[in-house]
Amino acid sequence: MKDQGMGIELNEQAEAVARAFVSARREARALATYPGPVPAELGCAYTIQDRAIVIDGRRVVGWKVGRINPPLDGTLGANRLSGPIFADSVVDASDGEEPAMPVFSGGFAAAEAEILLHVAPGFAGPVPTDDAGTRAILDEVRLGIEIASSPYAGINADGPPVTVSDFGNNAGLVRGPALERWRDLDLCAIPVRGEIDGEVVGAATAATMLDGPYGAVRFLLANLIERGFDVAGGLWVSSGAITGVHEIRVGQSFRAVFEGCGEVRCSVVAAQPR
């Protein structure tokens, strides 16, 4: 983006891009190209995201965390990114239901098996520095699926700043069953697999995810505090794709299996204007 350090120009550009993405999401309308100058760094991208959150106006109840892979992590100065999860995009499926989750036809759509962690209300800092301290500020852990979708098909291919600029590519969250006795479990040791229409598309453990789900919580809290968000009300953290970012089409179903712990399912439908 030209002259990223120039406040007036950056603010005007961020406003235009933010409004374009919010409008496209509201209208369930695909975007053939990125709607403005492409952000090249994360600060600019978060400026767009923050403005879009205000324009959208819906209540944020959680945040997705995604990984930034090498060598871009070094270039961008971060190995993770974040995006808001709105209250009306969260669906509970703790009893084996298979909810229909909307994605943007003509855009990008994927499903991801994730561990969901809830930061208890009342957190006031400082950000914990280890897993024990992180567990102490949590009050619930669930199994889940993040629905990653954007009206812009190039949301991931164009790089992390573009991903960040459109709500981190989040379009919904399926909250599955609670993970019992989570404080006594090694979250990074749970075998996880993802299936689309019954076919395995990925298998792994959270041990492959940098410093794991608890590290994702620490990253997110630091990220949000730096950006000026109030984190004291409690929030969900969708801690990152364990088995991969699995592109999915309207009409297909996704199943996330957490061996010995439970599973979560959803189907995928075309988003409608709201």
Side-chain angles (χ1 to χ4, degrees):
M1 182 177 284
K2 182 181 177 181
D3 294 330
Q4 291 177 32
M6 300 299 290
I8 293 176
E9 182 177 354
L10 175 58
N11 288 341
E12 290 177 347
Q13 292 173 340
E15 179 82 12
V17 174
R19 287 192 178 278
F21 271 124
V22 171
S23 295
R25 282 174 171 260
R26 284 175 176 165
E27 297 166 14
R29 170 175 48 83
L31 293 170
T33 59
Y34 190 83
V38 176
E41 51 88 35
L42 293 175
C44 175
Y46 282 119
T47 296
I48 296 170
Q49 185 188 114
D50 293 349
R51 183 57 190 151
I53 291 170
V54 174
I55 296 167
D56 185 282
R58 290 177 293 165
R59 183 167 65 96
V60 175
V61 295
W63 298 79
K64 65 81 56 78
V65 174
R67 184 170 183 174
I68 300 176
N69 291 311
L72 290 176
D73 57 347
T75 303
L76 295 171
N79 57 17
R80 285 182 167 108
L81 57 81
S82 70
I85 300 172
F86 296 100
D88 65 356
S89 72
V90 178
V91 177
D92 281 303
S94 57
D95 297 323
E97 303 96 330
E98 186 174 302
M101 301 298 291
V103 299
F104 298 101
S105 296
F108 178 90
E112 305 170 8
E114 309 217 359
I115 294 175
L116 316 180
L117 306 98
H118 191 259
V119 177
F123 172 75
V127 176
T129 58
D130 58 21
D131 287 355
T134 306
R135 282 192 293 271
I137 66 170
L138 303 177
D139 59 4
E140 187 175 5
V141 174
R142 291 203 199 186
L143 313 178
I145 297 170
E146 183 201 351
I147 298 299
S149 187
S150 168
Y152 176 50
I155 186 76
N156 279 359
D158 285 0
V162 168
T163 303
V164 165
S165 70
D166 184 27
F167 294 149
N169 196 18
N170 178 263
L173 187 68
V174 183
R175 287 190 306 206
L179 183 57
E180 303 295 339
R181 301 183 302 279
W182 59 270
R183 293 184 187 277
D184 302 321
L185 295 176
D186 179 358
L187 301 185
C188 288
I190 301 170
V192 183
R193 72 176 185 271
E195 301 176 357
I196 293 179
D197 290 346
E199 295 189 10
V200 176
V201 292
T205 70
T208 63
M209 299 166 51
L210 300 172
D211 49 1
Y214 295 129
V217 173
R218 294 190 290 272
F219 159 80
L220 179 67
L221 291 174
N223 175 269
L224 295 178
I225 290 169
E226 181 180 4
R227 292 161 62 190
F229 285 94
D230 181 2
V231 296
L235 55 88
W236 283 100
V237 183
S238 192
S239 60
I242 299 173
T243 66
V245 179
H246 307 297
E247 293 194 37
I248 196 167
R249 299 189 305 273
V250 169
Q252 292 186 311
S253 295
F254 186 77
R255 180 187 182 214
V257 179
F258 300 79
E259 293 291 346
C261 300
E263 64 179 56
V264 194
R265 299 170 178 261
C266 71
S267 59
V268 174
V269 298
Q272 300 300 313
R274 56 178 172 84

